[in-house]
Amino acid sequence: MATMTLARGRAKGTGTVDAALRRLTAFEAGTHRVVSCYLKLEPRDRVRGKYLIKLKNRVRDLEAVLPRLGLERTVQEEVSRDLARILAYLGSPGNLPSANGIALFACGPRKLFEAVPLPSVHRSRLAVDRTPLVRELVAVQEEFGRLYTVVMDRTSARIFAVTADAAREVSSLVSASTRGGRYRGDQDGPGWGEHSYNNRIREERQRHADSVARELYTLDRREAAHGIVLAGPGADAGVLAPFLHPDLRGRLFGTVKLNPKELSPAAVHAATLEVRAAAKREEERALVAEVRSKVGERWAVNGIAETLRALARGQVRTLLVDADAAEPGYRCSATGRLVLDPADARGEGEALPVVDVVDEAIEDALRQHVPINVVFEPEAAKKLRGLAGLLRFR
């Protein structure tokens, strides 16, 4: 996927997420500050410009807290200008990628403006720091990993390796088949019969599916995938599932309708992202149910204050976030711990205000390599009190 930098006022494409990471990790802001913005751009976020309304609200909240962050007035003004540049960039529909998310990094005095399309974003957030907050870029690459998407019909199959950036065809198969068309009693001479004809078709399909399943298993042995997506025209989308090796079957994300003969890597990438997103929603519901069942056993916490304490202790093994949760708070200057009340920072240095402890908790979880699940499914989200966590120890 293309990234863009703005140098001397001109945007230009500059490569993949990996390329952006190399540039951003080497970037030095000096005495200035970098604005980091992660924005969800899923179809529901684009309806009536909802993404832009939410971003404007976050910009307003961040600008309101800037005077309390201890920044010099000139630095505050630089940050405000960078926020305006981000809003202007995202306010132009032509700048929006087709991807489900985007990350932007801006530092006007150092000529930085980087826009990185992403297959997913945990949740929309804004932050100001001395360095670009790139941990989510790293996490996207690591969490997404590699998926195999198999697009097949009765006689052919194409297998794609799908990463966070793109889809690449890695194998294709074509199987011999009986001549198509509707059965006719005299087809291919006496003795053929409708029953034999249908049996032949069924056997050919089974042999074809078995060949595709063996090829997929071979590819996975060579380069393992995090998940499998099956695709095909109509009801053929899931015909391969019973033939998969049990290990692959356990990593099946779902199915989608696609025609292998009329297909582009971009279409495969987009369809795979949709199936993966649906699988993630199912995972969210299961994790919320697990939290609720384990709170009483003290193997889980549910609530912002409780989860922040567990996160500071390194107890959290999986962080769950209500997609709509937001809460102002503080970070202890001596320990880095997040708290909701400045009184809770007693003995841990100065209580420095933060715009949203939920966003800050996501960054802390990324720093600790803790898996993050932002819960969007409404019924599941209602069962969370802002933040929750499954614990690695009590």
Side-chain angles (χ1 to χ4, degrees):
M1 288 183 181
T3 63
M4 302 175 199
T5 30
L6 193 66
R8 297 196 178 99
R10 182 174 298 178
K12 53 184 178 180
T14 50
T16 64
V17 173
D18 286 334
L21 271 171
R22 286 193 294 271
R23 289 189 299 276
L24 290 167
T25 52
F27 179 79
E28 295 181 0
T31 59
H32 308 287
R33 294 294 185 273
V34 180
V35 176
S36 298
C37 172
Y38 287 90
L39 189 64
K40 292 184 68 64
L41 291 174
E42 294 179 4
R44 60 188 167 192
D45 301 304
R46 297 175 188 252
V47 175
R48 295 188 295 276
K50 189 187 300 183
Y51 76 93
L52 196 56
I53 295 170
K54 289 186 175 181
L55 181 62
K56 287 178 179 178
N57 291 336
R58 288 182 176 273
V59 168
R60 182 198 61 212
D61 293 342
L62 180 55
E63 288 188 316
V65 83
L66 281 178
R68 296 156 51 202
L69 298 181
L71 302 176
E72 294 181 5
R73 178 171 293 278
T74 55
V75 176
Q76 292 181 42
E77 292 170 352
E78 291 168 359
V79 170
S80 292
R81 285 194 290 272
D82 284 334
L83 291 170
R85 293 167 70 204
I86 288 173
L87 278 175
Y89 182 88
L90 293 170
S92 173
N95 289 333
L96 298 183
S98 58
N100 286 335
I102 189 171
L104 299 101
F105 305 90
C107 181
R110 298 304 304 271
K111 308 299 182 188
L112 172 70
F113 192 92
E114 184 104 20
V116 188
L118 297 173
S120 63
V121 165
H122 288 308
R123 78 177 210 157
S124 298
R125 57 195 181 102
L126 271 175
V128 176
D129 210 326
R130 294 179 180 276
T131 59
L133 300 184
V134 298
R135 290 188 182 90
E136 188 163 347
L137 291 186
V138 177
V140 163
Q141 298 290 75
E142 292 176 348
E143 290 175 11
F144 196 99
R146 170 191 296 269
L147 279 69
Y148 285 123
T149 296
V150 184
V151 191
M152 64 178 288
D153 59 14
R154 188 167 69 88
T155 61
S156 64
R158 299 169 67 184
I159 303 176
F160 294 81
V162 182
T163 62
D165 294 323
R168 176 174 57 89
E169 188 167 356
V170 292
S171 183
S172 62
L173 299 89
V174 177
S175 299
S177 65
T178 297
R179 193 173 58 217
R182 197 163 68 90
Y183 161 75
R184 296 184 297 276
D186 62 349
Q187 182 168 329
D188 290 335
W192 176 266
E194 183 175 4
H195 180 71
S196 297
Y197 174 80
N198 289 332
N199 277 346
R200 176 70 62 85
I201 296 295
R202 184 168 56 252
E203 289 172 4
E204 288 173 353
R205 286 179 172 174
Q206 289 175 348
R207 283 197 298 270
H208 177 53
D210 185 60
S211 298
V212 175
R214 283 189 278 109
E215 175 67 9
L216 181 61
Y217 183 67
T218 299
L219 289 170
D220 185 71
R221 290 289 298 272
R222 192 180 306 148
E223 290 187 273
H226 285 68
I228 306 296
V229 173
L230 304 182
D236 288 339
V239 296
L240 185 63
F243 296 87
L244 293 177
H245 187 278
D247 183 40
L248 295 179
R249 206 176 305 150
R251 285 179 269 157
L252 181 59
F253 277 10
T255 63
V256 64
K257 292 182 180 180
L258 288 173
N259 188 337
K261 293 182 173 65
E262 301 172 1
L263 201 60
S264 68
V268 172
H269 190 256
T272 302
L273 292 186
E274 290 180 11
V275 174
R276 183 180 181 273
K280 292 293 285 184
R281 299 293 88 84
E282 288 296 327
E283 182 184 2
E284 289 164 15
R285 286 189 279 270
L287 286 170
V288 170
E290 187 178 356
V291 164
R292 286 169 60 82
S293 69
K294 291 188 174 181
V295 165
E297 304 170 6
R298 295 188 298 116
W299 280 110
V301 289
N302 191 1
I304 292 177
E306 300 92 326
T307 306
L308 292 180
R309 278 195 295 271
L311 200 56
R313 295 169 182 158
Q315 288 177 280
V316 178
R317 65 175 171 86
T318 301
L319 180 69
L320 280 74
V321 183
D322 179 348
D324 296 322
E327 192 73 34
Y330 303 84
R331 189 180 286 278
C332 305
S333 63
T335 63
R337 189 166 69 91
L338 292 167
V339 295
L340 294 176
D341 191 314
D344 295 333
R346 199 174 292 118
E348 298 182 56
E350 185 182 356
L352 303 175
V354 298
V355 178
D356 186 357
V357 292
V358 176
D359 285 347
E360 296 287 329
I362 289 174
E363 194 63 26
D364 285 2
L366 290 168
R367 189 181 299 115
Q368 296 177 28
H369 302 287
V370 172
I372 299 165
N373 284 268
V374 180
V375 180
F376 292 92
E377 202 280 319
E379 289 304 312
K382 286 180 185 176
K383 298 170 184 175
L384 296 181
R385 297 199 294 272
L387 286 174
L390 295 166
L391 305 182
R392 64 176 88 249
F393 63 87
R394 292 188 285 195

